[in-house]
Amino acid sequence: MGLPIGVLASGRGSNLEAILRAWEAGELPVELKMVISDKKEARALRIAAEHGVPAEFLDPKAFPDRVSYDLALAARLKAAGVELVVLAGYMRILSQAFLEQFPLQVINIHPALLPAFPGLGAQKQAWEYGVKITGCTVHFVDAGVDTGPIIAQAAVAVEDDDTPETLAERILEQEHRLLPEVIRWIAQGRVRVRGRRVYIQK
Ligand code: GRF
């Protein structure tokens, strides 16, 4: 047993795979309760099923608006007893109605050093801007786009011969290390939040 978590994912699912690897290696004191996707074809759903984790496609088109979709999502996660929601490539913005049900219980992985380059295509944004260092950020989710309190970051140097794609690959390696690590800290009860500042107990 451990902290009951749920993962929301819209696509490839490589961060979900990283979580599963760490979990199956016994490194995460969590119980992976379910994976939910807003995309029927998401590879993340197949990966979850292959690992014996309940996986569900929840169709946004079946709901009249964003809030009703989010409430249905929250109801499923609550019914499964989820206490930490991990966004691993989840492409929808969560409404306040959802977040109120999981206060400081939703985290996201973003492929840039926030607050630089929020939103979509962050790796390409950073490459085009010409920064020499970028990376990834795990943060608590608030109602803004990639604006919540920062839990952890990892830096990645931008090389002269990088393309947005090669840069994204190296950032992804760091994502796969950082996201399971933060989940472990939270599951161990070592994460404290004071305003925007997040403290990790040693
Ligand atoms: C990752 O780059 C993550 O930082 C961003 O979406 C992408 C998801 O990739 N939020 P994957 O589905 O985990 O492979």
Side-chain angles (χ1 to χ4, degrees):
M1 287 311 272
L3 181 70
I5 71 170
V7 176
L8 305 184
S10 300
R12 182 178 55 180
S14 72
N15 278 288
L16 170 65
E17 277 182 306
I19 296 166
L20 283 162
R21 257 198 309 276
W23 185 40
E24 287 166 356
E27 293 163 9
L28 296 184
V30 303
E31 200 60 28
L32 187 35
K33 291 290 189 187
M34 65 195 310
V35 173
I36 302 180
S37 182
D38 59 325
K39 295 272 190 274
K40 194 171 186 192
E41 306 303 329
R43 179 173 168 265
L45 288 177
R46 291 208 311 275
I47 290 167
E50 281 166 21
H51 288 257
V53 175
E56 188 185 346
F57 162 55
L58 191 59
D59 188 356
K61 293 201 195 78
F63 297 85
D65 52 36
R66 189 159 74 102
V67 169
S68 52
Y69 181 83
D70 280 4
L71 290 175
L73 195 58
R76 278 168 173 71
L77 294 162
K78 287 281 181 196
V82 166
E83 292 174 24
L84 176 69
V85 179
V86 179
L87 309 188
Y90 185 63
M91 301 309 286
R92 291 168 65 88
I93 307 292
L94 288 169
S95 56
Q96 195 63 43
F98 182 97
L99 295 171
E100 275 166 12
Q101 298 200 40
F102 292 96
L104 289 177
Q105 290 179 307
V106 185
I107 62 172
N108 180 46
I109 175 94
H110 181 75
L113 293 178
L114 292 170
F117 313 119
L120 292 176
Q123 307 95 327
K124 188 153 183 270
Q125 288 185 54
W127 183 85
E128 282 175 348
Y129 195 93
V131 295
K132 300 299 186 189
I133 296 179
T134 181
C136 56
T137 302
V138 179
H139 63 94
F140 285 109
V141 174
D142 65 11
V145 176
D146 302 322
T147 51
I150 290 170
I151 307 168
Q153 296 185 301
V156 172
V158 183
E159 307 296 346
D160 288 349
D161 58 356
D162 263 329
T163 61
E165 292 73 30
T166 59
L167 181 58
E169 275 171 29
R170 290 207 310 290
I171 294 171
L172 195 62
E173 285 172 19
Q174 293 303 313
E175 294 182 37
H176 293 165
R177 187 184 59 73
L178 196 64
L179 184 57
E181 186 166 30
V182 169
I183 292 170
R184 184 165 56 81
W185 293 342
I186 294 174
Q188 291 171 335
R190 291 164 56 196
V191 176
R192 297 277 174 277
V193 187
R194 271 192 229 127
R196 282 210 57 87
R197 302 198 58 80
V198 178
Y199 299 88
I200 316 300
Q201 284 168 358
K202 296 262 188 287

Short mmCIF file of all heavy atoms in Angstrom, two decimals, residues 9-17 43-44 87-91 108-112 123 136-137 168 171-172 175-176, ligand 1:
data_model
loop_
_atom_site.label_atom_id
_atom_site.label_comp_id
_atom_site.label_asym_id
_atom_site.label_seq_id
_atom_site.Cartn_x
_atom_site.Cartn_y
_atom_site.Cartn_z
N ALA A 9 -3.29 11.52 -18.73
CA ALA A 9 -2.35 11.61 -19.85
C ALA A 9 -3.13 11.69 -21.16
O ALA A 9 -4.18 11.06 -21.30
CB ALA A 9 -1.43 10.40 -19.86
N SER A 10 -2.58 12.45 -22.10
CA SER A 10 -3.28 12.61 -23.38
C SER A 10 -2.56 11.94 -24.55
O SER A 10 -3.11 11.87 -25.64
CB SER A 10 -3.42 14.11 -23.73
OG SER A 10 -4.15 14.79 -22.75
N GLY A 11 -1.32 11.49 -24.35
CA GLY A 11 -0.58 11.05 -25.54
C GLY A 11 0.34 9.88 -25.33
O GLY A 11 -0.06 8.82 -24.85
N ARG A 12 1.60 10.14 -25.70
CA ARG A 12 2.65 9.12 -25.80
C ARG A 12 2.84 8.30 -24.52
O ARG A 12 3.13 7.11 -24.57
CB ARG A 12 3.92 9.90 -26.15
CG ARG A 12 5.16 9.15 -26.36
CD ARG A 12 6.25 10.15 -26.74
NE ARG A 12 6.39 11.23 -25.74
CZ ARG A 12 7.27 12.22 -25.83
NH1 ARG A 12 8.08 12.29 -26.88
NH2 ARG A 12 7.33 13.14 -24.89
N GLY A 13 2.76 8.94 -23.40
CA GLY A 13 2.81 8.20 -22.14
C GLY A 13 4.19 7.80 -21.65
O GLY A 13 4.32 6.91 -20.81
N SER A 14 5.24 8.49 -22.12
CA SER A 14 6.58 8.09 -21.66
C SER A 14 6.79 8.45 -20.19
O SER A 14 7.51 7.75 -19.47
CB SER A 14 7.67 8.69 -22.55
OG SER A 14 7.81 10.07 -22.32
N ASN A 15 6.19 9.54 -19.72
CA ASN A 15 6.31 9.86 -18.30
C ASN A 15 5.54 8.85 -17.44
O ASN A 15 5.98 8.50 -16.36
CB ASN A 15 5.86 11.29 -18.02
CG ASN A 15 6.96 12.30 -18.32
OD1 ASN A 15 7.94 12.38 -17.59
ND2 ASN A 15 6.83 13.03 -19.42
N LEU A 16 4.41 8.40 -17.95
CA LEU A 16 3.68 7.33 -17.26
C LEU A 16 4.56 6.09 -17.17
O LEU A 16 4.63 5.44 -16.11
CB LEU A 16 2.38 7.01 -18.02
CG LEU A 16 1.64 5.75 -17.54
CD1 LEU A 16 1.14 5.93 -16.11
CD2 LEU A 16 0.49 5.41 -18.48
N GLU A 17 5.26 5.77 -18.26
CA GLU A 17 6.15 4.60 -18.25
C GLU A 17 7.24 4.75 -17.19
O GLU A 17 7.59 3.79 -16.51
CB GLU A 17 6.83 4.43 -19.62
CG GLU A 17 5.98 3.71 -20.62
CD GLU A 17 6.71 3.53 -21.95
OE1 GLU A 17 7.18 4.55 -22.51
OE2 GLU A 17 6.79 2.39 -22.41
N ARG A 43 -1.46 6.47 -26.38
CA ARG A 43 -0.60 5.32 -26.08
C ARG A 43 -0.56 5.06 -24.58
O ARG A 43 -0.40 3.92 -24.13
CB ARG A 43 0.80 5.59 -26.64
CG ARG A 43 1.80 4.49 -26.40
CD ARG A 43 3.11 4.75 -27.13
NE ARG A 43 4.16 3.86 -26.68
CZ ARG A 43 5.05 4.17 -25.73
NH1 ARG A 43 5.04 5.35 -25.16
NH2 ARG A 43 5.98 3.30 -25.38
N ALA A 44 -0.71 6.14 -23.80
CA ALA A 44 -0.69 6.01 -22.34
C ALA A 44 -1.73 4.99 -21.85
O ALA A 44 -1.47 4.24 -20.90
CB ALA A 44 -0.94 7.37 -21.70
N LEU A 87 -0.36 14.86 -13.60
CA LEU A 87 -0.57 15.17 -15.01
C LEU A 87 0.72 14.82 -15.75
O LEU A 87 1.77 15.40 -15.50
CB LEU A 87 -0.90 16.66 -15.22
CG LEU A 87 -2.03 17.24 -14.36
CD1 LEU A 87 -2.36 18.67 -14.83
CD2 LEU A 87 -3.27 16.37 -14.41
N ALA A 88 0.62 13.84 -16.64
CA ALA A 88 1.79 13.38 -17.38
C ALA A 88 1.47 13.54 -18.87
O ALA A 88 1.04 12.60 -19.52
CB ALA A 88 2.11 11.93 -17.02
N GLY A 89 1.64 14.77 -19.35
CA GLY A 89 1.28 15.03 -20.73
C GLY A 89 -0.23 15.12 -20.92
O GLY A 89 -0.77 14.63 -21.91
N TYR A 90 -0.89 15.72 -19.94
CA TYR A 90 -2.35 15.90 -20.04
C TYR A 90 -2.58 17.28 -20.65
O TYR A 90 -2.11 18.29 -20.12
CB TYR A 90 -2.99 15.81 -18.66
CG TYR A 90 -4.50 15.87 -18.67
CD1 TYR A 90 -5.25 14.89 -19.31
CD2 TYR A 90 -5.17 16.92 -18.03
CE1 TYR A 90 -6.64 14.95 -19.31
CE2 TYR A 90 -6.56 16.97 -18.03
CZ TYR A 90 -7.28 15.98 -18.67
OH TYR A 90 -8.66 16.04 -18.68
N MET A 91 -3.30 17.32 -21.77
CA MET A 91 -3.32 18.53 -22.58
C MET A 91 -4.50 19.47 -22.33
O MET A 91 -4.65 20.47 -23.02
CB MET A 91 -3.28 18.16 -24.08
CG MET A 91 -2.07 17.34 -24.48
SD MET A 91 -0.50 18.08 -23.94
CE MET A 91 -0.40 19.42 -25.13
N ASN A 108 2.15 18.62 -12.10
CA ASN A 108 2.33 18.57 -13.55
C ASN A 108 3.82 18.59 -13.85
O ASN A 108 4.61 19.17 -13.11
CB ASN A 108 1.66 19.80 -14.18
CG ASN A 108 1.82 19.83 -15.69
OD1 ASN A 108 1.61 18.82 -16.37
ND2 ASN A 108 2.19 20.98 -16.25
N ILE A 109 4.19 17.96 -14.98
CA ILE A 109 5.57 18.07 -15.47
C ILE A 109 5.55 18.94 -16.72
O ILE A 109 4.74 18.73 -17.62
CB ILE A 109 6.18 16.67 -15.75
CG1 ILE A 109 7.57 16.78 -16.38
CG2 ILE A 109 5.31 15.81 -16.65
CD1 ILE A 109 8.68 16.73 -15.41
N HIS A 110 6.44 19.95 -16.71
CA HIS A 110 6.50 20.88 -17.84
C HIS A 110 7.92 20.90 -18.41
O HIS A 110 8.88 21.00 -17.64
CB HIS A 110 6.09 22.28 -17.37
CG HIS A 110 6.11 23.27 -18.49
ND1 HIS A 110 5.13 23.30 -19.47
CD2 HIS A 110 7.01 24.23 -18.83
CE1 HIS A 110 5.42 24.25 -20.34
NE2 HIS A 110 6.55 24.83 -19.98
N PRO A 111 8.07 20.84 -19.73
CA PRO A 111 9.41 20.71 -20.31
C PRO A 111 10.14 22.04 -20.52
O PRO A 111 10.67 22.30 -21.62
CB PRO A 111 9.14 20.00 -21.64
CG PRO A 111 7.79 20.47 -22.03
CD PRO A 111 7.02 20.68 -20.75
N ALA A 112 10.20 22.87 -19.49
CA ALA A 112 11.02 24.09 -19.51
C ALA A 112 11.22 24.50 -18.06
O ALA A 112 10.56 23.98 -17.15
CB ALA A 112 10.35 25.21 -20.29
N GLN A 123 9.88 23.34 -25.41
CA GLN A 123 11.27 23.06 -25.80
C GLN A 123 11.64 23.90 -27.02
O GLN A 123 12.74 24.46 -27.10
CB GLN A 123 11.45 21.57 -26.14
CG GLN A 123 10.97 20.61 -25.06
CD GLN A 123 9.55 20.11 -25.27
OE1 GLN A 123 8.69 20.84 -25.80
NE2 GLN A 123 9.29 18.89 -24.87
N CYS A 136 13.35 21.12 -17.13
CA CYS A 136 11.97 20.75 -16.86
C CYS A 136 11.62 21.11 -15.42
O CYS A 136 12.50 21.31 -14.57
CB CYS A 136 11.72 19.27 -17.13
SG CYS A 136 12.79 18.15 -16.23
N THR A 137 10.33 21.22 -15.18
CA THR A 137 9.80 21.66 -13.90
C THR A 137 8.65 20.76 -13.48
O THR A 137 7.77 20.47 -14.30
CB THR A 137 9.24 23.10 -14.04
OG1 THR A 137 10.27 23.97 -14.50
CG2 THR A 137 8.69 23.62 -12.71
N ALA A 168 14.61 18.42 -26.94
CA ALA A 168 13.43 17.83 -26.27
C ALA A 168 13.74 16.42 -25.74
O ALA A 168 13.29 16.04 -24.66
CB ALA A 168 12.25 17.78 -27.24
N ILE A 171 15.74 16.79 -22.55
CA ILE A 171 14.84 17.26 -21.48
C ILE A 171 13.98 16.10 -20.99
O ILE A 171 13.78 15.91 -19.79
CB ILE A 171 13.97 18.44 -21.97
CG1 ILE A 171 14.85 19.66 -22.26
CG2 ILE A 171 12.90 18.78 -20.93
CD1 ILE A 171 14.11 20.81 -22.94
N LEU A 172 13.52 15.29 -21.94
CA LEU A 172 12.64 14.16 -21.59
C LEU A 172 13.35 13.18 -20.64
O LEU A 172 12.73 12.65 -19.71
CB LEU A 172 12.17 13.45 -22.86
CG LEU A 172 10.99 12.49 -22.71
CD1 LEU A 172 9.73 13.21 -22.22
CD2 LEU A 172 10.70 11.79 -24.04
N GLU A 175 12.96 14.61 -17.36
CA GLU A 175 11.55 14.47 -16.90
C GLU A 175 11.34 13.09 -16.28
O GLU A 175 10.71 12.96 -15.23
CB GLU A 175 10.59 14.64 -18.08
CG GLU A 175 10.58 16.03 -18.69
CD GLU A 175 9.57 16.14 -19.83
OE1 GLU A 175 8.49 15.53 -19.74
OE2 GLU A 175 9.87 16.82 -20.81
N HIS A 176 11.88 12.09 -16.96
CA HIS A 176 11.65 10.70 -16.53
C HIS A 176 12.31 10.42 -15.18
O HIS A 176 11.90 9.51 -14.46
CB HIS A 176 12.16 9.73 -17.59
CG HIS A 176 11.37 9.79 -18.86
ND1 HIS A 176 11.80 9.25 -20.04
CD2 HIS A 176 10.16 10.36 -19.12
CE1 HIS A 176 10.88 9.46 -20.97
NE2 HIS A 176 9.89 10.14 -20.44
C1 GRF B 1 6.23 15.91 -21.84
O1 GRF B 1 7.19 16.63 -22.56
C2 GRF B 1 5.73 16.73 -20.68
O2 GRF B 1 6.70 17.55 -20.13
C3 GRF B 1 4.64 17.55 -21.31
O3 GRF B 1 4.03 16.70 -22.22
C4 GRF B 1 4.95 15.71 -22.65
C5 GRF B 1 4.33 14.38 -22.38
O4 GRF B 1 5.08 13.30 -22.87
N1 GRF B 1 3.75 18.07 -20.29
P1 GRF B 1 4.67 11.82 -22.52
O5 GRF B 1 3.22 11.64 -22.96
O6 GRF B 1 4.84 11.63 -21.04
O7 GRF B 1 5.61 10.95 -23.30
#
